[in-house]
């Protein structure tokens, strides 16, 4: 693997994204319940931490059957839980670590009221205490370890593709979205398999979700949402054009799509007010696209959200401080929305 810029491998102490330091930090949190979500294709532990009491949902039917019955409580439970449940999954693309850095700071906010820079976030801490929050900061550790970078600040799109999609044996950088024409990517055809994929070349975002041979990361994350039945699942990614939510997802009910758009608008307004330069062009997913967040929705009934952080490339620069502020303000809005209104459409409650 090439060091295209030494700065991609250096970071201040508040920017925690290395596999080993993330696991260690999760285990050291006294107030959270640290668990293992599963094991990656390369045999790496997938760390998970939860805050707030687990409340079991007593259901009598699958999501599909409950919807068919016109009676969502058959799936969501007759009695409402005391607190909404939010699950946050970051870095299923292992080179997109900005969400991981944000979650490690958010965990510190929950524990102490301050982020790892020492800045107070008392409102965010207060809001978070009103929910159960389950976090998987590095959901695909194989790609994270392989790509090695801690950030892409000051880079260009070739850097994104080099560390993300990788380089073929012919010396060509795989580019997005052409990289998606192969799934899984054959590791033996690559000079460097980027962080987008697990050790078997699988992109978790685009699995064959109905196959019995799911990647262990995908299996673990779907099992997690089945267990938790979250009201909302937030999947954290990064690209050169962030920040924005990809919304709406066209293969879920319209009432969920409205909520996706509402949250995207609210967070963009917050980012605009804070000078964090949201991407204002419409960012919908491809028509007919059934992705990780779609699978998560049908496995749990949750409102699925996909947020794209900025990488801070030269074409749209952000400092690491600004990227972290983008993440923490986004969380404050998403969690504030959930505590005030809930995440499920009215007909699901
Ligand atoms: Zn991604």
């Amino acid at each position: 693997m090439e060091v295209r810029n030494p700065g991609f491998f250096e970071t201040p102490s508040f920017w925690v994204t290395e596999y080993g330091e993330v696991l260690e930090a999760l285990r050291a949190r006294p107030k959270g319940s640290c668990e293992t979500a599963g094991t990656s294709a390369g045999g790496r532990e997938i760390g998970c931490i939860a805050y707030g009491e687990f409340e079991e949902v007593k259901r009598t039917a699958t999501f599909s059957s409950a919807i068919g019955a016109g009676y969502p409580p058959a799936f969501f439970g007759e009695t409402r839980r005391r607190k909404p449940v939010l699950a946050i999954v970051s870095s299923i693309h292992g080179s997109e670590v900005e969400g991981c850095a944000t979650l490690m700071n958010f965990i510190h906010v929950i524990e102490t009221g301050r982020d790892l820079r020492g800045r107070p976030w008392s409102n965010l801490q207060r809001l978070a205490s009103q929910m159960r929050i389950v976090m998987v900061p590095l959901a695909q550790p194989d790609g994270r370890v392989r790509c090695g970078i801690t950030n892409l600040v000051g880079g260009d799109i070739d850097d994104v593709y080099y560390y993300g999609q990788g380089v073929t044996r012919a010396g060509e950088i795989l580019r997005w979205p052409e990289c998606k024409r192969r799934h899984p990517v054959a590791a033996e055809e690559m000079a460097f398999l980027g962080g987008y994929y697990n050790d078997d070349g699988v992109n978790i975002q685009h699995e064959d979700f109905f196959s019995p041979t799911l990647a262990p990361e995908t299996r673990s994350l779907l099992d997690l949402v089945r267990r938790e039945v979250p009201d909302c699942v937030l999947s954290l990614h990064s690209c050169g054009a962030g920040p924005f939510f990809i919304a709406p997802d066209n293969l879920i009910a319209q009432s969920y799509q409205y909520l996706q758009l509402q949250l995207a608008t609210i967070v963009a307004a917050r980012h605009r007010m804070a000078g964090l330069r949201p991407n204002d062009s419409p960012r919908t997913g491809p028509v007919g696209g059934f992705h990780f967040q779609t699978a998560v929705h049908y496995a749990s009934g949750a409102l699925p959200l996909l947020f794209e952080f900025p990488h801070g490339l030269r074409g749209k620069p952000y400092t690491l401080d600004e990227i972290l502020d983008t993440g923490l303000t986004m969380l404050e809005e998403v969690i504030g929305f959930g505590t005030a209104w809930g995440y499920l459409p009215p007909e699901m409650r």
Side-chain angles (χ1 to χ4, degrees):
M1 190 247 298
E2 215 178 287
V3 175
R4 294 169 67 88
N5 178 340
F8 297 160
F9 298 84
E10 297 162 7
T11 39
S13 57
F14 70 82
W15 195 260
V16 178
T17 68
E18 302 268 11
Y19 172 62
E21 64 178 352
V22 167
L23 277 189
E24 200 178 309
L26 293 181
R27 291 188 187 118
R29 296 293 105 200
K31 295 179 187 166
S33 151
C34 179
E35 293 150 24
T36 297
T39 307
S40 71
R44 296 183 176 91
E45 180 183 342
I46 303 169
C48 173
I49 193 162
Y51 290 91
E53 194 190 332
F54 176 75
E55 297 176 67
E56 197 177 349
V57 169
K58 292 199 168 50
R59 70 167 68 105
T60 58
T62 60
F63 185 52
S64 172
S65 193
I67 299 299
Y71 190 66
F75 178 78
F76 290 109
E78 295 279 351
T79 40
R80 287 193 69 173
R81 291 180 290 199
R82 285 184 298 108
K83 291 181 175 181
V85 179
L86 170 65
I88 313 178
V89 174
S90 184
S91 310
I92 61 172
H93 294 146
S95 52
E96 300 168 15
V97 297
E98 290 75 4
C100 175
T102 297
L103 290 186
M104 299 316 288
N105 276 270
F106 177 45
I107 288 165
H108 207 257
V109 168
I110 294 174
E111 296 259 349
T112 70
R114 291 175 182 271
D115 66 22
L116 291 166
R117 301 170 296 191
R119 296 190 193 168
W121 292 84
S122 55
N123 188 47
L124 178 56
Q125 184 189 35
R126 182 185 61 78
L127 291 170
S129 71
Q130 296 171 44
M131 286 196 173
R132 172 169 169 83
I133 302 180
V134 184
M135 287 174 269
V136 184
L138 279 180
Q140 198 269 88
D142 294 356
R144 170 71 194 90
V145 169
R146 191 183 318 111
C147 76
I149 52 164
T150 60
N151 76 97
L152 284 169
V153 165
D156 61 22
I157 198 66
D158 275 359
D159 297 321
V160 175
Y161 296 151
Y162 179 90
Y163 291 108
Q165 281 70 29
V167 187
T168 65
R169 290 216 177 271
E172 279 174 34
I173 294 178
L174 273 189
R175 312 187 81 79
W176 182 93
E178 290 77 18
C179 62
K180 298 188 181 189
R181 293 180 190 184
R182 314 170 192 195
H183 191 284
V185 168
E188 63 275 13
E189 290 173 14
M190 303 294 287
F192 169 59
L193 183 66
Y196 218 46
Y197 318 98
N198 73 5
D199 278 358
D200 289 336
V202 171
N203 177 356
I204 307 305
Q205 179 73 351
H206 295 299
E207 277 262 46
D208 180 359
F209 291 101
F210 302 104
S211 160
T213 56
L214 279 174
E217 298 85 351
T218 318
R219 175 87 281 144
S220 302
L221 296 169
L222 289 176
D223 286 347
L224 176 78
V225 298
R226 278 203 182 85
R227 246 183 351 260
E228 290 287 341
V229 200
D231 299 270
C232 177
V233 177
L234 171 60
S235 182
L236 302 178
H237 291 251
S238 316
C239 69
F244 60 88
F245 281 90
I246 294 183
D249 277 306
N250 65 88
L251 290 185
I252 63 175
Q254 270 191 344
S255 52
Y256 282 92
Q257 296 184 34
Y258 294 142
L259 288 164
Q260 290 183 318
L261 284 168
Q262 277 180 338
L263 268 158
T265 308
I266 289 167
V267 172
R270 172 72 180 269
H271 284 162
R272 199 172 301 112
M273 279 172 59
L276 292 168
R277 309 180 295 287
N279 189 317
D280 285 326
S281 48
R283 294 279 167 170
T284 55
V287 172
F290 193 100
H291 311 301
F292 172 70
Q293 72 272 17
T294 332
V296 157
H297 166 73
Y298 284 104
S300 68
L303 171 67
L305 299 173
L306 191 159
F307 183 69
E308 293 275 358
F309 279 84
H311 275 311
L313 305 183
R314 285 199 297 277
K316 195 179 183 206
Y318 287 81
T319 63
L320 292 179
D321 270 304
E322 286 180 318
I323 295 172
L324 177 55
D325 287 340
T326 300
L328 291 173
T329 50
M330 177 273 293
L331 288 176
E332 193 165 283
E333 294 300 327
V334 168
I335 295 169
F337 185 95
T339 55
W341 305 104
Y343 293 115
L344 295 179
E347 75 271 16
M348 294 293 167
R349 298 179 186 181

